[in-house]
Structures are given as structure tokens and as C-alpha cells.
Amino acid sequence: MAFSVVVLAAGKGTRMKSSLPKVLHKVGGVPMVQRIINTVKSLGADNIHLVYGHGGDQLKATVVEENLNWCLQAEQLGTGHAVQQAAPHIKDNEDVLILVGDAPLIREETLSALKAVKENCDLALLTVNLDDPTGMGRIIRENDNITAIVEHKDATDAQREIKEINTGMMMMSGADLKRWLGKLSNDNAQGEYYLTDVIAMAASEGKRIQSAQPQSAVEVEGVNNRLQLANLERALQRRQADELMTNGVTLLDPARFDLRGQLDNGNDVVIDVNVIVEGKVTLGNNVIIGANCILRNCTIADNAVIEPNSIVEEADVGEGCTVGPYARLRPGAVMQKNAKVGNFVEMKKAVLGEGAKANHLTYLGDAEVGAKANIGAGTITCNYDGVNKSKTVIGENAFIGSNSSLVAPVNIGKGATVGAGSVITSTVDEDALAVARGKQRNIPNWPRPTKK
Ligand code: UD1
Ligand code: CA
């Protein structure tokens, strides 16, 4: 059956003490509201209505999603009032799933279960039992049947003993929802239009109300302040780490691993502590990532090793390569099979051919290095004249002596050798030796200066 989703995200989030709307704060590197939208999209929602209030411009700039129906709730008069803003766009003959924008860890499986419950009743509610339900709406049951939700502030002492609470997520038909929304009043302790009042209306019409529960309470936990945000971040990281380990990744300490995006892995990947993975990262079989590395939107092929304290960003590391320790691969860095980059080497928009090496203290920018070339310590491709960038091409098997400056644009032929300390400004032919440095002059018996 067709279904739409309403995400309630108009709340201000005062306790975040932030100029950013609450739902734009990130969990696992993704804004909370975007995470929820991603989840409902994979559930196959036909329409998503986002009820927003504060920071509309910021929200619209951040949440780039086609087919998102933006519903402004100019004044926050309660959750029922919030859903009313989406009501004109809701069809009678579709089901409507209502979600809160600040509970980012809800899983697709849980929402599917709620949807399945709705198939066999009129109103499906996602509830959870909490040891401390303070502040939450309580689920009222008579002979086990749900008859109402009572908000904490409106509840009697006896009702406050109830541990089963409303998560704020529920599903019903568009026709029922709209009929009930039309009857809401704000005659309650908070003077708000409560969405939760629709439950008693459903019960009084004799509708069948059923509940579903999430696997764990963190899925429905909301974020009101930065402490809660940090708790959910940890919970998400643990969930992701568990998935990766189940998928065959060895995490030397799952509590010291952060994934802010998507990681695809081969077999027998080993990741040491304090590694941060961002964006979309792919690791082949037997890849080893040393401690304190940052991997961002990159691909690392089978048997490659990234030694500690290296940063790999928008780069492509080939099979059997080694990188680092302390290396930095910037956007456009490509290392072909078995190439090697050592400590304090930086690559940007540069290709290091098969088996080529740059083992120490080097900058390769806008460069093409042929197979098996050896780039000596301290080599710099001088790719920038202050205005334009130019390219350096180094042929296969070339040998660049230590501390050479290659002033681009420049070509170094196959098998050519550059003497250490050279400043190369023009073509070096294949198999030739180029030495471009001050000649050594020895002065015998030279007296050192003495103090005056
Ligand atoms: C609500 C529920 C409560 C439930 C709890 C779960 C009601 C009346 N109460 O309480 O039963 O246990 O959530 O967290 O529904 N929002 C708007 N516009 C508004 C008010 C709220 O968009 O005018 C949004 C908020 O941004 C938030 C969500 O609705 O995403 C929930 O609002 P919140 O104020 O946190 O509701 P609670 O009082 O916690
Ligand atoms: Ca809340």
C-alpha cells in the first residue's frame, strides 16, 4: 500500500545552545534529519513531508533531497499542530508514518515491523519500556488494549508509574489521521495540540490499536542536548563497529574506531585504534590500517598497508602498496600496484606507477611517475609558479637523486638519472644523467674565522 511519511522537525532545540537547528547536528557524520530521511527512503516511502520551523534556510541548504515536501510550521503549537501542517498534502487512501526528526538511530527493520503491524490494524504505535520514563507520554492500556496516551505533565501519580512510553512514531490511514487532527484541542497542561490525543479518539471509535517495539531503546532516543548527542554517537559507532566485525573486519578496539559514512570491506581487513573513516571508503582483502589514520572517500586495494598517522583523501591506493607512516595522499593521488610512499610524503593529483617509490620527505603534485622509478628523499615537484599549475612527467625506471627540485613543466625520460641536489628546469633525455647544482670547490688549509 502507498504510504507517506511525516517527519516532525520544527522544534527549536534550545538546549543544544547552537545557531544550527537541532536536527542538523550530525550523528555519524550525517545530519540527524538526513539520516532519518535516508532510512525512510530505503523503506520505500512515496512522499516525505518535512515539518520545519527554525532555520529553514539552513535546513534547505543542507538537506538536498528531491521530492521532499517542505511544510512550514511557523509557530510551534505542539506535535498535533505540526502534523496538521502536512495534512493538506496527505491522501485519504494512503497510510501515514509519523516520525520525530531528533531520533536519528531508528532502524529500517523497526519501521518495517511497525508497518507490518499497521497492515493488520488501524493504528500502529511504536512503544518502548523505560526504567525511567520521566517526561514521556505514557501508554494507557485496559485489558491489554491501548486506549490512550497521557503526557507526563497531564498524568496522575498512578499513570506515572507506567514504564511503557510513546516514542512519537506511529502509523495510521490518511483519512483517520485527518479526521482526528481536525478534532484536537489544546486544553491540557502544556496548552499544546498533542498528536497523542488521536489515540483516545481512535479507541473511542472502536479502532484496533496495536504496538511494535524497537530492538533497543537507543533507536527511539531523542536528542535534546549535546550530552545526548554524544551518547547516540557512541551507540551508533558501536552498532557500526559490530556490523563491520560481523562482516569480517578486525577492529583492534571497536571503542576507538569512528565511521562517518560508508565502509565496504574485503576479507581479513585489520584496523588499528583511532582510525577515522569518512565518506565512502572501500578496503580490499587483507588491507591493514595502522593507528591514527584518516581515510576519506578513497579506495585501498588488496594487501595494501597504510602505516600509522597517515591521511588518505580522495585517493586510490593500488594492490600491495604501502603508505606512511606519516604520509598524506590528497585528492587525485593514485598509487599503482606495489608502489611505495614513505614518511612525510605528500601526493596531490599525481600518479605513482607500478612499483615506484618515494620513501622520504617528498612532494609530488601534478605529476606522473613511471613504473619502478625511484624518487629520492626531499624531492619536490615545483608545480606552482604562484599563478598556474604545471605538470612533471617522470619516465619509468628514472632515478631522482635526493633533494632535487623539478621545476614544472618538465619531462624526465625513461631510465634517466638526476644527480642529488639538482634544480631541473628542462627536459632530461632517456637514460641521460642530469646534474644541475653548484660545483664543489675545495680550498686547502682554510683558516676558520676567530672571535674578535
Ligand atoms: C512527544 C510526545 C510524547 C513522547 C515523546 C517522545 C506529544 C504530545 N508528546 O513529547 O508522548 O513520549 O515525544 O520523544 O506528542 N515538534 C514540532 N512542532 C511542535 C512541537 C514538536 O515539529 O510544535 C517536533 C519536535 O521538533 C520533535 C518532535 O516534534 O522532533 C517531538 O517534540 P517534543 O517537544 O520533543 O515532544 P515531547 O514533549 O518530548
Ligand atoms: Ca522530545
Side-chain angles (χ1 to χ4, degrees), residues 360-433:
H360 333 265
L361 301 157
T362 287
Y363 174 62
L364 297 172
D366 301 293
E368 230 173 78
V369 179
K372 296 219 165 77
N374 191 316
I375 309 295
T379 297
I380 307 288
T381 54
C382 309
N383 60 330
Y384 185 53
D385 61 11
V387 184
N388 297 303
K389 299 264 170 79
S390 305
K391 194 165 171 181
T392 301
V393 178
I394 299 171
E396 55 185 68
N397 275 312
F399 181 97
I400 311 297
S402 297
N403 206 29
S404 292
S405 301
L406 311 177
V407 182
V410 71
N411 267 289
I412 303 194
K414 287 184 199 171
T417 302
V418 169
S422 291
V423 177
I424 301 294
T425 53
S426 59
T427 304
V428 180
D429 292 333
E430 267 184 56
D431 300 316
L433 166 69

Side-chain angles (χ1 to χ4, degrees), residues 244-258:
L244 287 170
M245 291 187 291
T246 307
N247 235 352
V249 175
T250 294
L251 295 175
L252 291 183
D253 183 358
R256 283 182 289 168
F257 168 74
D258 286 86

Side-chain angles (χ1 to χ4, degrees), residues 14-46:
T14 313
R15 283 172 283 168
M16 296 301 286
K17 305 210 166 146
S18 174
S19 55
L20 200 64
K22 175 167 83 175
V23 292
L24 288 187
H25 282 263
K26 290 177 179 173
V27 174
V30 179
M32 291 195 266
V33 66
Q34 183 71 60
R35 196 166 268 285
I36 292 163
I37 289 169
N38 294 347
T39 305
V40 296
K41 273 179 66 182
S42 43
L43 201 66
D46 296 291

Side-chain angles (χ1 to χ4, degrees), residues 88-106:
H89 310 283
I90 288 169
K91 298 185 202 76
D92 286 347
N93 62 351
E94 65 177 349
D95 276 343
V96 183
L97 171 64
I98 299 171
L99 300 176
V100 292
D102 61 354
L105 296 201
I106 188 69

Side-chain angles (χ1 to χ4, degrees), residues 8-12 22-23 51 73 75-82 100-102 135-138 149 151 165-168 190 192-196 220 222 224:
L8 304 185
K12 193 170 180 182
K22 175 167 83 175
V23 292
V51 181
Q73 186 194 23
E75 235 189 318
Q76 279 77 60
L77 303 180
T79 50
H81 181 257
V100 292
D102 61 354
M136 309 305 255
R138 304 301 204 282
I149 294 174
E151 290 306 302
I165 63 105
N166 170 35
T167 63
Q190 303 184 74
E192 285 181 6
Y193 295 91
Y194 291 165
L195 174 63
T196 44
V220 298
N224 296 304

